[in-house]
Amino acid sequence: MAQSAVIRPGHVCLRVLDLEAAVRHYRDRVGLLEIERDSEGRVYLKGWDEQDWFSVVLREADHPGMDFLGFKVLGTDALARLESDLNAWGCVTERMPAGELRHCGERVRFQLPTGHVVELYAQKDFMGNGLGRVNPDPWLEGVKGMQAQRFDHCLLYGRDIDGNIALLRDVLKFDLTEKVVDGELVVAAFLSCSNKAHDIAFVRHAEDGKFHHASFLLGTWEEVLRAADIIAMHDISLDLGPTRHGITRGRTIYFFDPSGNRNEVFCGDYTWYPDHEPIIWTADQIGRAIFYHDRRLNENFLNVVT
Amino acid sequence: MAQSAVIRPGHVCLRVLDLEAAVRHYRDRVGLLEIERDSEGRVYLKGWDEQDWFSVVLREADHPGMDFLGFKVLGTDALARLESDLNAWGCVTERMPAGELRHCGERVRFQLPTGHVVELYAQKDFMGNGLGRVNPDPWLEGVKGMQAQRFDHCLLYGRDIDGNIALLRDVLKFDLTEKVVDGELVVAAFLSCSNKAHDIAFVRHAEDGKFHHASFLLGTWEEVLRAADIIAMHDISLDLGPTRHGITRGRTIYFFDPSGNRNEVFCGDYTWYPDHEPIIWTADQIGRAIFYHDRRLNENFLNVVT
Amino acid sequence: MAQSAVIRPGHVCLRVLDLEAAVRHYRDRVGLLEIERDSEGRVYLKGWDEQDWFSVVLREADHPGMDFLGFKVLGTDALARLESDLNAWGCVTERMPAGELRHCGERVRFQLPTGHVVELYAQKDFMGNGLGRVNPDPWLEGVKGMQAQRFDHCLLYGRDIDGNIALLRDVLKFDLTEKVVDGELVVAAFLSCSNKAHDIAFVRHAEDGKFHHASFLLGTWEEVLRAADIIAMHDISLDLGPTRHGITRGRTIYFFDPSGNRNEVFCGDYTWYPDHEPIIWTADQIGRAIFYHDRRLNENFLNVVT
Amino acid sequence: MAQSAVIRPGHVCLRVLDLEAAVRHYRDRVGLLEIERDSEGRVYLKGWDEQDWFSVVLREADHPGMDFLGFKVLGTDALARLESDLNAWGCVTERMPAGELRHCGERVRFQLPTGHVVELYAQKDFMGNGLGRVNPDPWLEGVKGMQAQRFDHCLLYGRDIDGNIALLRDVLKFDLTEKVVDGELVVAAFLSCSNKAHDIAFVRHAEDGKFHHASFLLGTWEEVLRAADIIAMHDISLDLGPTRHGITRGRTIYFFDPSGNRNEVFCGDYTWYPDHEPIIWTADQIGRAIFYHDRRLNENFLNVVT
């Protein structure tokens, strides 16, 4: 039992093939708010219920995938301490200057053992969720599409899952909340720095540095249906759902952005507490673990990554 | 625009391979109430919110499928008139004696052009929905499993869909509410004798007299999720769902009873009115018509019938 | 058991004190679509899922209330027959010319024994629900506010409830679905011309011709919550809810338009069938009958009418 | 921004006038599981999704109210440190021996400035949630009544709210998440030791040591309706709801146990993060803050405490 100085996944930077098509997808269908663009042409967005300046950055590139994933930490002291702990653990870190991402303070960047670029930061400008801090209404009218509340987590694919778990548990003090095991081999791991059932997850995969999905939070199973309808109305490529995960109990639907990056919108995992023991899924039940209703994996879900 | 003297689908008799396994399925999982058994060993069940004595009859047999489907009509006068109209249309009818099904009056039995046995009846004993008629509560506590409210409709497969439509429209005064067309060919038809989007449906198929599914009503999309969870918890064979139909807008899940008969539980079609025009689905959009989110048919759904 | 040639409540004309304030309420908050205005300045609106040209007419006047309530019937033959039946019953009828309401055919107007003006019509121009009749999506994007699907029914107050019941049952062939009785006295009555639990309702009241509420259909209990939130966000005067009715099982919320006319948005009554017996509520349980959770009436609900 | 070594509210001990009536209420209506009874006759219960041995203790007494509220902390080191910090802050603490509550380790007991007895503990035996830790299903079948998932928080009434806030923030490192202010005066405060919007709350009141309600978590707004129906079916005394809180955004219903202790079942607050600023409600909007839809307080809610 430990406590993490990491607060939450605070942003993800995704590569997209056609920037304007991507903006239409994340803004008009997923329902993020477009906040601004920077001099490099990157587009910043956020979920309506997020308080900080942005949580999604889109960068036009010639192949899709994830540039980096950022976590907010409790303060500059915590940032310095975690940087030092990462170095002590053998992780090379790099300081990205304040302002390199608009409205974001210095970021400590490093690579996970699976090759994914992760960064920690302590400061991002406050924008608010549009409801104000005094006598706020419970939700914001006029949000588009699926009305995603926030960027929630990512699932990443790579080889050294054990190394990732070790780094996140030992250095960043995440909890392992659920894992899928094939005998002694951990084939998937779900980790939390909060009371959420997962803030990041990994699946063992032959190729490092791969991106499986970025997930956005909805409020209810009825909103998952609404998202599914919107996916069909606008001919968005569906992966699978609506369904339930065995892992995390989440109610979910998976689909692809126009560049082939997978998205999830979901609701309803349980409250994780640090005195709980991790839940274990055995490989023979991996179908049920991932897609609880179907009880079998589709090939897409295992193999299509960016 | 016409009005049907047919009130509703009132019962379906299904053949099952193992009677006790079937009773456990329909009673403990679908959540029907077991009412009684007759001297032939047939088991009678009903949904908790149905007022008449029974709506599902299970008969043990060496192959699965549907024995017959019964519709309740407005009274004995209507029954006699419809019998005469059927005869005038060229349909041979047979009177099944009162009591042949327990607590059910005389039934006028005939064959649809697709070979399915359908019967009309005017009288069935009143059992009530357990809430009483004076100051009733809105629902019944203690119902098991998926808590299906009622038997709702059947989908039947056979060759002469056009004949079925003609008989149901011209003689029984059903409305055609939706149809799937491939050019001039009607490949699926949905018909209503009420304000429901469908009380019976047909799909064109090379073999006559086949049974696709019996459907049971739930109250909400959340109850569809609950049904999906129960399907997984009890390792019930899933066909597809939870999802939405384009046709009827229903939110649905399909699964199989232990004998291989397909069941649906669903909620939420729209209100049909007799001054509306039928909705038309084109064959190129049949995926979306049937499974709105996936926008493609699974082979099971088209070909597995009993 | 009978069958009504009346299809549904097709329109209601409400008097409002400030037309533009009323339009903002019904269009931006209730979520009706504004269709057009006529030469008298009346505003025509409809729910997004209604097929005919309009269902709500707003007329500016110096006191609020209901001008008239219109029911659509099966055709011009049915209209003529019902007119004749009304006359035979002792009801004076008046023919309103086609076009007096825009896009609406001739209307046969009469007074209920409680003094309310009701009219029957067989024809109104088709507008459609915006989804088309070929391969339609299940719902319309971009609808405002509570996103009411349709005008559903009215509750009217007056003295001769028994007379109203007699006229609606004997002449128009409505079913009595539920009633509240105080000994022999019927104090409230709910009647249906369809499979809905009510298409019109009456409460006994010392003054004739009073309007209690016009009701609009929502899809789910979650949408009732959303409506409640919108009521609070926009400081709309709330009467009561969200709650459930014992009568009809509806899940509901009541509020007032800017002129003081009461509105309801609700979801979820049961399927009425003509072979069912009416449900009876006893006066000592009237609290539970109306507001099932609170089990007591608020004074507003009984006494504030327009 | 800080992090609390307090994990969650772990148990509440309530005084009830009639033990068996109370057990029937909490077990059969709220849906807690009855776990065991101790030699003093106290009854231990838990929500189905709680992992530790119990979360509610009922003690028969001649007046209702709360004996004490217990919080679980991260471990015995944290317990010793918090005890020392409490003493340093001027709080007298008492060690309750392990086993004084069945299956619970030593508890450090102290009084809040408002006179409420609170205790901290680091150990309670593991019972599990009935689903197992290996390949678990998402929920437990057969739970009764409202199917409350867990004991969630308490609202307590007393004079020195400022003292409570100071103790909880400065010593136990809770966050203040929301407050109601009348000018400079804090009249209500909501505090969290987790990512929940509240783990404990206080309202300023003329008398110290009073208990307003114990709250239990449900999963959805539909389950809140179900709870409301159960309240009516079983003639449980209703306080108010179903409705939404402005504070915490929770969707809720309040009712009383047979001894007059208030209960809440609710769902759906937001995710609190420690870098957020507290939300402020002004006294003129206190109606909206508490009951968002009604926008006015009922007298009961302010004045009826045990």
Side-chain angles (χ1 to χ4, degrees), chain A residues 2-234:
Chain A
Q3 281 183 297
S4 179
V6 177
I7 301 175
R8 66 174 167 271
H11 57 241
V12 62
C13 181
L14 297 176
R15 294 186 299 272
V16 297
L17 304 181
D18 175 333
L19 191 66
E20 295 315 317
V23 169
R24 282 193 298 273
H25 173 83
Y26 286 99
R27 183 191 60 202
D28 299 343
R29 304 305 166 224
V30 180
L32 304 181
L33 310 181
E34 184 181 348
I35 305 299
E36 65 175 331
R37 303 190 178 206
D38 67 18
S39 57
E40 297 178 45
R42 292 180 299 192
V43 180
Y44 295 65
L45 306 101
K46 69 183 274 293
W48 70 265
D49 204 20
E50 294 180 293
Q51 302 281 358
D52 285 349
W53 202 265
F54 66 87
S55 63
V56 171
V57 180
L58 302 177
R59 181 173 75 84
E60 195 165 86
D62 58 7
H63 62 290
M66 183 185 86
D67 274 351
F68 55 85
L69 174 62
F71 288 93
K72 192 173 191 184
V73 302
L74 275 172
T76 50
D77 289 355
L79 186 63
R81 182 170 49 74
L82 289 170
E83 183 179 30
S84 158
D85 292 349
L86 284 164
N87 294 337
W89 198 77
C91 232
V92 178
T93 57
E94 178 190 10
R95 286 249 170 183
M96 306 296 293
E100 194 279 330
L101 285 174
R102 299 264 305 147
H103 295 277
C104 186
E106 265 194 314
R107 293 129 61 204
V108 171
R109 181 176 277 194
F110 62 98
Q111 277 204 3
L112 292 180
T114 49
H116 298 90
V117 177
V118 169
E119 46 187 44
L120 308 178
Y121 65 96
Q123 191 275 330
K124 194 180 284 178
D125 287 349
F126 173 82
M127 170 166 281
N129 62 4
L131 304 172
R133 283 167 173 168
V134 178
N135 304 326
D137 288 319
W139 47 273
L140 194 64
E141 285 193 292
V143 179
K144 291 182 181 176
M146 302 178 193
Q147 306 178 344
Q149 298 177 11
R150 69 165 183 241
F151 165 56
D152 191 85
H153 66 268
C154 282
L155 173 57
L156 306 176
Y157 274 40
R159 288 177 300 171
D160 187 7
I161 300 304
D162 304 305
N164 281 9
I165 296 173
L167 186 155
L168 284 164
R169 292 182 85 165
D170 298 346
V171 185
L172 301 184
K173 305 301 180 193
F174 279 53
D175 287 325
L176 179 71
T177 61
E178 308 206 18
K179 63 180 172 181
V180 183
V181 295
D182 189 354
E184 296 298 299
L185 192 71
V186 175
V187 296
F190 299 78
L191 295 112
S192 172
C193 60
S194 67
N195 293 112
K196 290 164 53 188
H198 56 339
D199 285 304
I200 191 167
F202 304 103
V203 165
R204 190 176 296 271
H205 185 71
E207 194 180 354
D208 268 347
K210 303 310 285 183
F211 170 78
H212 187 273
H213 73 261
S215 183
F216 302 91
L217 185 72
L218 302 184
T220 66
W221 173 236
E222 193 161 314
E223 293 180 21
V224 174
L225 173 66
R226 210 173 157 283
D229 289 342
I230 288 168
I231 286 167
M233 283 177 191
H234 294 283

Side-chain angles (χ1 to χ4, degrees), chain D residues 243-261:
Chain D
T243 189
R244 184 196 280 281
H245 291 304
I247 297 168
T248 78
R249 300 183 189 167
R251 293 153 288 172
T252 180
I253 188 165
Y254 286 98
F255 53 101
F256 295 95
D257 79 7
S259 305
N261 293 305

Side-chain angles (χ1 to χ4, degrees), chain C residues 7-246:
Chain C
I7 301 176
R8 66 175 168 271
H11 57 241
V12 61
C13 180
L14 298 176
R15 294 186 299 272
V16 297
L17 305 181
D18 175 333
L19 191 65
E20 295 315 317
V23 169
R24 282 193 299 274
H25 173 83
Y26 287 99
R27 182 192 60 201
D28 299 344
R29 305 306 166 221
V30 179
L32 303 181
L33 310 181
E34 184 181 348
I35 304 300
E36 66 174 329
R37 303 190 178 206
D38 68 16
S39 58
E40 297 177 46
R42 294 180 297 190
V43 180
Y44 296 65
L45 307 101
K46 70 182 272 295
W48 70 265
D49 204 19
E50 294 180 293
Q51 303 280 359
D52 284 349
W53 203 265
F54 66 88
S55 63
V56 171
V57 180
L58 303 177
R59 180 173 75 82
E60 196 165 86
D62 58 7
H63 63 289
M66 183 185 87
D67 274 351
F68 55 84
L69 173 64
F71 288 93
K72 192 171 190 183
V73 303
L74 275 171
T76 48
D77 290 353
L79 186 64
R81 181 170 48 77
L82 289 170
E83 182 179 30
S84 157
D85 293 347
L86 283 164
N87 294 338
W89 199 77
C91 232
V92 177
T93 58
E94 177 189 11
R95 286 248 170 185
M96 305 296 293
E100 194 280 329
L101 285 173
R102 299 264 306 146
H103 295 277
C104 186
E106 264 194 314
R107 294 128 61 205
V108 171
R109 180 176 279 194
F110 61 100
Q111 277 203 1
L112 293 180
T114 50
H116 298 90
V117 176
V118 169
E119 46 187 46
L120 308 177
Y121 65 96
Q123 191 275 329
K124 194 181 283 180
D125 286 350
F126 172 81
M127 171 167 281
N129 63 3
L131 305 172
R133 282 167 173 169
V134 179
N135 304 326
D137 288 317
W139 47 273
L140 194 63
E141 285 194 293
V143 179
K144 291 181 181 178
M146 302 177 192
Q147 305 176 345
Q149 298 177 11
R150 68 164 183 243
F151 164 57
D152 190 85
H153 67 268
C154 284
L155 172 58
L156 306 175
Y157 274 40
R159 288 178 299 174
D160 187 7
I161 300 305
D162 304 305
N164 281 8
I165 296 173
L167 186 155
L168 285 163
R169 292 182 84 164
D170 297 346
V171 185
L172 301 183
K173 306 300 180 192
F174 280 52
D175 287 324
L176 180 70
T177 61
E178 308 206 19
K179 62 180 171 179
V180 183
V181 295
D182 190 355
E184 296 298 300
L185 192 72
V186 175
V187 296
F190 299 78
L191 295 113
S192 171
C193 61
S194 67
N195 292 113
K196 291 164 54 188
H198 56 339
D199 285 304
I200 190 167
F202 303 103
V203 165
R204 191 176 295 271
H205 185 70
E207 194 179 356
D208 267 348
K210 305 308 287 182
F211 170 77
H212 187 272
H213 72 261
S215 184
F216 302 92
L217 185 72
L218 302 184
T220 66
W221 172 236
E222 194 161 313
E223 293 180 22
V224 174
L225 173 67
R226 210 173 157 282
D229 290 341
I230 288 169
I231 286 167
M233 283 178 190
H234 295 282
D235 266 324
I236 294 169
S237 175
L238 177 70
D239 186 18
L240 199 137
T243 190
R244 182 195 282 282
H245 290 305

Side-chain angles (χ1 to χ4, degrees), chain B residues 1-9 48-49 51-52 72-75 122 126 129 131-139 149-150 152 178 193-196 199 217 219-220 222 244-246 249 251 270-271 273-282 284-285 288-289 292, chain C residues 1-9 48-49 51-52 72-75 122 126 129 131-139 149-150 152 178 193-196 199 217 219-220 222 244-246 249 251 270-271 273-282 284-285 288-289 292:
Chain B
M1 282 198 287
Q3 280 182 299
S4 179
V6 178
I7 302 176
R8 66 174 167 272
W48 71 264
D49 204 20
Q51 303 281 358
D52 284 349
K72 193 172 188 184
V73 303
L74 275 172
F126 173 81
N129 63 3
L131 304 172
R133 282 166 173 169
V134 179
N135 304 326
D137 288 319
W139 47 273
Q149 297 176 13
R150 69 165 182 241
D152 191 85
E178 309 205 17
C193 61
S194 67
N195 292 112
K196 291 164 52 190
D199 286 303
L217 185 72
T220 66
E222 194 161 312
R244 183 194 283 281
H245 291 304
R249 301 184 188 166
R251 291 154 289 171
Y270 55 84
T271 306
Y273 283 112
D275 60 332
H276 288 180
E277 290 293 318
I279 288 168
I280 295 163
W281 298 85
T282 54
D284 60 310
Q285 294 292 315
R288 182 184 296 263
Y292 184 68
Chain C
M1 282 199 287
Q3 280 183 298
S4 179
V6 178
I7 301 176
R8 66 175 168 271
W48 70 265
D49 204 19
Q51 303 280 359
D52 284 349
K72 192 171 190 183
V73 303
L74 275 171
F126 172 81
N129 63 3
L131 305 172
R133 282 167 173 169
V134 179
N135 304 326
D137 288 317
W139 47 273
Q149 298 177 11
R150 68 164 183 243
D152 190 85
E178 308 206 19
C193 61
S194 67
N195 292 113
K196 291 164 54 188
D199 285 304
L217 185 72
T220 66
E222 194 161 313
R244 182 195 282 282
H245 290 305
R249 299 183 189 168
R251 291 154 289 171
Y270 54 85
T271 306
Y273 283 113
D275 60 333
H276 287 180
E277 291 292 317
I279 288 169
I280 296 164
W281 298 85
T282 55
D284 61 309
Q285 294 292 315
R288 182 184 296 263
Y292 184 67

